[in-house]
């Protein structure tokens, strides 16, 4: 991992603050390149689970532009979660990732792992996606696979992936994928479970904007256990928060601006 990631003088996860979103995306393209190259060198392939939502759209656009030369034939793209809407719906995470990234790079179709939302009901879709994950990793029931890279966001209520506060059974036994029924504030979804996220080799939270600043503070500094995002703590892998200046603005000064590191591109 890059040496410009700064560990804070506290018990929480390392936070990297980059002043602008552009710097963040350049930095993350660098990490994608570095981690994928290492995984391909060591294990012959690279698996990434990507989040949807608004925050990472510009990262995917940047990756699509400057990542043409990456070894896409050995790069596999999964989704962290999906809203249970048709592919053409503006809320579809796969639709967004396809438009911004997958349509722009020479990735073989077989390396792309969407979550089906049109031919199955919610539970069947979750089971099919779980089977796809198991097939890819060659694992059976009871084994939790390790994605090389997992990109997460944080919702203003502290959710991550589609794991919302108050979801009673966050760990759901040995399931790798679960369905999440519709809530008043959100459509039904399918999501990787917490154990899978916590088995990731490298897990990044990407957070931008002032509106998320207090939530970043509660997750990073308070580790508020009622917030699903606080429960992300990789068993063996590494966890990093990558924030812009606004999202990091409520962090203790010792963690924030004073520790700003610079992108190496
Ligand atoms: C989704 C996500 C979700 C997201 C957060 C942050 O489907 O919405 O995967 O967990 O990362 O809600 O979303 P924004 O980036 O849109 O704020």
């Amino acid at each position: 991992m890059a040496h410009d990631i700064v560990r804070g003088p506290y018990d929480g996860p390392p936070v990297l603050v980059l002043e602008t979103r552009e710097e963040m995306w350049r930095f993350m393209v660098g990490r994608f390149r570095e981690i994928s190259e290492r995984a391909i060198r060591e294990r012959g392939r690279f698996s990434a689970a990507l989040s949807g939502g608004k925050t990472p759209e510009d990262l995917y656009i940047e990756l699509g532009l400057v990542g043409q030369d990456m070894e896409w034939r050995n790069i596999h793209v999964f989704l962290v979660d999906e809203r249970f809407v048709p592919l053409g719906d503006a809320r579809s995470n796969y639709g967004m990732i396809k438009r911004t990234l997958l349509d722009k790079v020479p990735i073989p179709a077989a390396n792309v792992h969407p979550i089906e939302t049109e031919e199955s009901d919610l539970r069947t879709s979750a089971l099919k996606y779980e089977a796809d994950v198991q097939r890819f990793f060659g694992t059976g029931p009871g084994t939790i696979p390790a994605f090389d890279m997992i990109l997460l966001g944080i919702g203003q209520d502290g959710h991550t992936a589609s794991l919302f506060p108050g979801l009673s059974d966050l760990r759901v036994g040995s399931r790798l994928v679960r369905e999440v029924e519709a809530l008043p504030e959100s459509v039904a979804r399918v999501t990787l479970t917490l154990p899978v996220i916590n088995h990731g080799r490298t897990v990044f939270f990407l957070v931008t904007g002032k509106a998320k600043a207090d939530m970043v503070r509660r997750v990073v500094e308070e580790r508020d256990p009622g917030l699903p995002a606080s429960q992300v703590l990789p068993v063996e892998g590494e966890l990093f928060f990558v924030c812009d200046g606004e999202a990091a603005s409520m962090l203790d000064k010792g963690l924030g601006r004073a520790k700003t590191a610079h992108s190496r591109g």
Side-chain angles (χ1 to χ4, degrees), residues 185-212:
E185 64 279 16
S186 116
V187 289
R189 295 160 179 247
V190 171
T191 184
L192 294 179
T193 58
L194 194 57
V196 177
I197 292 172
N198 280 339
H199 274 75
R201 292 176 192 269
T202 314
V203 181
F204 290 95
F205 275 103
L206 305 177
V207 202
T208 59
K210 221 170 179 39
K212 303 265 178 82

Side-chain angles (χ1 to χ4, degrees), residues 150-181:
I150 300 181
L151 300 188
L152 298 173
I154 297 184
Q156 283 184 38
D157 58 356
H159 81 260
T160 190
S162 290
L163 304 169
F164 291 89
L167 214 58
S168 53
D169 44 357
L170 267 190
R171 287 168 202 273
V172 286
S174 58
R175 288 184 63 190
L176 308 181
V177 177
R178 65 168 290 168
E179 62 278 14
V180 179
E181 299 293 340

Side-chain angles (χ1 to χ4, degrees), residues 43-71:
R43 291 181 294 283
R45 62 186 188 173
F46 168 68
S47 54
L50 306 184
S51 275
K54 278 244 58 85
T55 309
E57 274 196 56
D58 286 341
L59 165 61
Y60 302 151
I61 291 171
E62 179 78 7
L63 197 54
L65 283 174
V66 304
Q68 291 296 324
D69 61 328
M70 292 183 186
E71 232 185 279

Side-chain angles (χ1 to χ4, degrees), residues 60-117:
Y60 302 151
I61 291 171
E62 179 78 7
L63 197 54
L65 283 174
V66 304
Q68 291 296 324
D69 61 328
M70 292 183 186
E71 232 185 279
W72 290 99
R73 68 176 190 285
N74 292 317
I75 294 178
H76 293 257
V77 172
F78 288 79
L79 265 68
V80 165
D81 66 336
E82 180 60 286
R83 294 98 180 259
F84 207 67
V85 295
L87 174 59
D89 188 295
R91 292 166 295 179
S92 165
N93 284 341
Y94 177 65
M96 181 276 280
I97 294 169
K98 182 174 176 330
R99 274 191 313 278
T100 52
L101 172 64
L102 302 172
D103 285 350
K104 313 285 183 203
V105 294
I107 186 169
N111 293 11
V112 177
H113 303 261
I115 297 173
E116 192 182 281
T117 57

Side-chain angles (χ1 to χ4, degrees), residues 130-131 133-135 137-145 173-176:
E130 179 167 83
V133 171
Q134 284 173 326
R135 209 173 311 117
F137 285 100
T139 53
T143 306
I144 303 172
S174 58
R175 288 184 63 190
L176 308 181

